[in-house]
Amino acid sequence: MTERRGRDTTGEWPAITEKHWYVLSIVSAMFTAVAIVAAFLFIFGDGFDGEHDTRLAQALAPFGVALFALVTFCTVSWRGSISVRQANQAENEGRARLLQEGAKLLSEPSKPSHVSAGVATLSVLIHSGQGDYAWSAMNLLADFVEDHMRSYHGNRHREEISGVMRSGDEAGFNTGRSITFCVVEPEEDYHYDDDPVYWHYIPGFASVKYFGGEFPFDDEYEIDRLENASFNGVTIARWNRVTIDGRFDRSTFKNCAITRVDSVDSLNHHANYKHAFEKCDFSNCIFADERMLAVDFREGENYFRADAPPTLAGGTAAIDWAALLNRRE
């Protein structure tokens, strides 16, 4: 579960709002007026006695000054809270306009410069850290990915969108949505050999599923840390430190360094387990299922280094790994 982040409005002390300052200003002003009238009556109510009344007035004068200072403080604080509210309102209106402008620019995919400007605009909102606006900006980018990249990641804006969504995801603004990337099957009368569809990891989603195509190495990520990604019938190519587990179904691994194979079931539904790997390095690999010992992986040029043979988890018997994998000195 991804938690949406925003500004924390809670604290140890109760907040004094604009309304509270307004009430305090009125109350303090009325109290000061009443106190002045009461002091006047107290001093001069029984007639004027020059020396005595003058000393009494001078003694009460600091309290009057303090009351006037209290009224001034409450009034200034009230005006200050109004200014803060107006500033926040103007700031929110500015962010709302940025969000609207970003959405408008993204809606023009035929104009690459407009889309790039839209991504940059939404990036400002995401990096601002303002929860609702950042989350909305992430969802607008996710909409663009869903509309234009579901079957093909060659879109010229994929990299810049991925970078912005990665920043948002790391800041806690995951969209919480699931997305599926699937290779579109060519028409029956399509007779041209085309390049394979290459997928990339796009962050900011609760779960990402890939069907078909190839998932090549990306130096920005470690494949074992992509816990929200799953692969069905995908060619996993040139990755280091790959753990074969339940994320993979009918997938093929090429030129990968395999660090662990949880079970034969990890290669679920693959037509022939021994063809699931091609030119993969199993040095120091941990096999967690002894059923793997019955599969000959040598045909796919899979190997292990002589100084770093695989191991069987929990096994103590000596195993001739050269009967399963090619041995390289």
Side-chain angles (χ1 to χ4, degrees), residues 4 38 42 63 78 87 98 117 122 126 132 150 156 167 178 180 197 199 204 207 209 213 233 246 266 279 316:
R4 288 176 54 187
F42 176 72
F63 296 98
W78 172 49
L98 282 177
L122 297 177
I126 292 171
D132 290 339
R150 276 185 173 273
R156 64 186 299 171
S167 297
S178 298
T180 298
V197 173
W199 300 124
S207 66
K209 297 180 180 179
S266 301
K279 298 180 181 179
T316 57

Side-chain angles (χ1 to χ4, degrees), residues 161-174:
I161 289 177
S162 292
V164 173
M165 294 190 72
R166 181 180 185 180
S167 297
D169 192 34
E170 291 175 347
F173 301 116
N174 190 288

Side-chain angles (χ1 to χ4, degrees), residues 258 277 280-285 287 292 295-305 308-311 320-328:
I258 311 298
F277 301 98
C280 288
D281 182 1
F282 285 83
S283 301
N284 289 322
C285 177
F287 289 95
M292 298 293 293
V295 183
D296 186 352
F297 296 109
R298 292 175 295 182
E299 185 178 334
E301 298 184 49
N302 302 294
Y303 65 94
F304 69 94
R305 298 193 312 274
T311 58
D320 181 12
W321 294 107
L324 282 71
L325 296 158
N326 296 295
R327 172 175 171 152
R328 291 188 179 181

Side-chain angles (χ1 to χ4, degrees), residues 63-82:
F63 296 98
V65 172
L67 289 175
F68 276 112
L70 176 63
V71 174
T72 302
F73 174 76
C74 292
T75 303
V76 170
S77 297
W78 172 49
R79 293 299 304 169
S81 63
I82 292 176

